[in-house]
Amino acid sequence: MYYIGLDVHKKTISYCVKDASGQVHQEGQIGATRWELDGWMKTLPQPWTVAMEATIFTGWIYDHLLPHAQQVKVAHPLMLRAIAAAKKKNDRIDAGKIADCLRCDFLPECHMASTSIRERRRTLRYRHLLVRQMVQMKNRISGLLMETGVSHNKQRLHKVKYFRELLATNEEVNESIRPLLRVSRDTIVRLRKTEYALVSSLQRDPLLAERIKRLRTVPGIGPITALTWALEMGDVSRSPSIREAISYYGLCGDEKSSADKVTRTPLSKQRNKHIQRVLVEAAKLAPRQDYQLALVYETEKQKENANRATLAVAGKMVAYLLAVDRRERDLVPFEDPRSAAAQKPRPPGEKQ
């Protein structure tokens, strides 16, 4: 078996080919194109396995090499401390060290989702970009009105009817900002339509439709949260336990222990930020929809504070989502004892 380390960049790929004993057979640099990769693979000794660091360019290289290699592995960038801490560092040395980590089975491998999941995940993350741009345009409209001293209702500003009335009847709106306001409004409408089309296409996707429908039976889970969970999680077997899932999604802090002293830090920055954001937002609304989650929130709020209570609710929702995903069955909601007591028939003559 031959072991290959790749140091991937935007325009070039440095490579190092070693055998099981660590002897270098080939090393050099090729262009980061499919054509040059095809020519390079014809020169490699057989069989071979390859590893590379996770970057923005890793996905297409991984897909292109996978049919030809015995194995393709992707390394976690934060875990490759040996490369970052080296005194002498260049592309050739980096490729050699990745090859050594692969050869000695020391490579800190990270999960690589399937091509179909990564393609749909790209669409969902693009939808998030559109939402951010919509928010920026709404803030720009509000800023233009405040800069020119125009009185307006902040709660109704972005309603279509109110916005038209504002331009038509409010004499305070300066002529210099009217074209800017119209362009901003048209941009928001266009972005909203595109965002709706992207979400609708993902919800109707045969690969996701049934899974999304099951996930939405969990209290507080809407279409965006369900899509984010399905696409960022990928295969549910990746999380063997609830605690590991909570850690991966950044719903707990780091733990640093020394002797008898244990220190808990704020929320970890090593997390999947996309699903962390939607879970925290969903956890703020879920206690209004489910009695058990409301109980969790109130119990934790009495012990600590509202933020910690929200994280506790988010952790409970992770447990529900994992259960639904693993069993491939809808969640059976708990019955609210307060509503059950209200619906219980009263004996004749009993006062209400």
Side-chain angles (χ1 to χ4, degrees):
M1 179 66 72
Y2 293 88
Y3 302 90
I4 305 174
L6 300 181
D7 188 47
V8 180
H9 294 279
K10 181 179 180 180
K11 296 182 179 180
T12 61
I13 301 174
S14 297
Y15 66 90
C16 180
V17 183
K18 295 187 177 185
D19 60 18
S21 64
Q23 182 180 354
V24 177
H25 283 256
Q26 293 182 25
E27 60 181 354
Q29 190 178 85
I30 58 174
T33 64
R34 290 178 173 84
W35 178 77
E36 292 198 48
L37 277 175
D38 288 334
W40 169 71
M41 283 190 286
K42 294 176 182 177
T43 68
L44 295 176
Q46 298 293 331
W48 52 275
T49 181
V50 63
M52 69 194 90
E53 190 176 355
T55 68
I56 191 174
F57 319 109
T58 300
W60 73 265
I61 298 174
Y62 177 92
D63 293 335
H64 196 71
L65 297 179
L66 193 59
H68 308 281
Q70 290 285 327
Q71 222 176 0
V72 181
K73 295 187 177 182
V74 179
H76 195 299
L78 277 176
M79 303 301 177
L80 290 176
R81 302 292 187 184
I83 292 179
K87 185 176 181 180
K88 186 178 180 181
K89 186 178 183 302
N90 57 47
D91 295 346
R92 181 179 61 82
I93 293 174
D94 291 353
K97 287 184 177 179
I98 293 175
D100 284 331
C101 289
L102 178 63
R103 179 175 61 87
C104 301
D105 198 22
F106 288 155
L107 191 79
E109 189 176 359
C110 64
H111 173 72
M112 198 68 180
S114 65
T115 305
S116 57
I117 290 293
R118 281 187 278 122
E119 288 172 349
R120 290 159 176 81
R121 182 190 296 170
R122 188 182 301 120
T123 301
L124 184 64
R125 291 182 180 180
Y126 189 81
R127 175 258 169 197
H128 178 58
L129 170 66
L130 297 181
V131 172
R132 283 188 295 167
Q133 290 178 340
M134 276 194 286
V135 172
Q136 289 174 354
M137 295 309 297
K138 288 180 179 180
N139 291 339
R140 185 66 271 177
I141 288 175
S142 181
L144 287 170
L145 294 176
M146 288 190 289
E147 284 177 15
T148 53
V150 178
S151 303
H152 60 278
N153 187 323
K154 294 181 180 179
Q155 284 72 31
R156 299 178 57 198
L157 177 60
H158 304 296
K159 302 292 184 182
V160 177
K161 184 178 179 180
Y162 178 79
F163 186 81
R164 289 175 180 171
E165 290 177 354
L166 183 70
L167 293 186
T169 61
N170 196 323
E171 298 179 355
E172 295 179 354
V173 181
N174 195 295
E175 288 296 328
S176 63
I177 66 168
R178 285 179 181 272
L180 300 178
L181 292 173
R182 291 193 182 96
V183 168
S184 300
R185 182 64 201 177
D186 291 342
T187 304
I188 292 171
V189 172
R190 186 166 59 252
L191 290 172
R192 183 175 293 151
K193 289 180 179 178
T194 307
E195 184 261 344
Y196 178 79
L198 292 179
V199 174
S200 299
S201 67
L202 288 174
Q203 287 183 287
R204 293 192 301 266
D205 194 303
L207 183 67
L208 301 172
E210 288 299 320
R211 189 177 181 186
I212 298 304
K213 186 178 178 181
R214 288 195 301 268
L215 292 173
R216 292 195 63 183
T217 61
V218 177
I221 300 298
I224 302 303
T225 308
L227 283 168
T228 306
W229 172 274
L231 294 175
E232 297 294 340
M233 163 72 77
D235 187 359
V236 70
S237 62
R238 288 179 57 204
S239 296
S241 68
I242 297 172
R243 295 184 65 171
E244 288 191 17
I246 289 174
S247 176
Y248 175 70
Y249 296 135
L251 301 176
C252 63
D254 296 335
E255 179 179 322
K256 296 182 179 179
S257 303
S258 179
D260 297 330
K261 186 177 181 181
V262 179
T263 305
R264 300 290 301 193
T265 67
L267 290 184
S268 174
K269 297 297 182 182
Q270 297 185 35
R271 85 288 191 207
N272 186 311
K273 64 179 181 180
H274 303 283
I275 199 165
Q276 182 199 49
R277 181 187 66 253
V278 296
L279 281 175
V280 170
E281 291 300 321
K284 293 177 180 178
L285 299 176
R288 305 177 189 178
Q289 304 175 14
D290 183 75
Y291 170 74
Q292 291 291 332
L293 294 179
L295 196 59
V296 170
Y297 181 84
E298 292 300 329
T299 303
E300 292 297 323
K301 187 177 179 181
Q302 290 176 5
K303 292 192 294 185
E304 297 193 52
N305 55 48
N307 290 337
R308 287 291 177 183
T310 300
L311 290 177
V313 172
K316 190 70 173 177
M317 293 174 70
V318 168
Y320 288 162
L321 289 165
L322 281 176
V324 168
D325 243 357
R326 285 172 181 165
R327 299 174 186 175
E328 297 186 353
R329 291 186 299 178
D330 294 354
L331 181 72
V332 179
F334 291 102
E335 185 179 4
D336 187 344
R338 295 172 299 182
S339 61
Q343 296 173 2
K344 184 179 179 181
R346 296 178 180 276
E350 182 180 345
K351 293 183 180 180
Q352 295 187 359

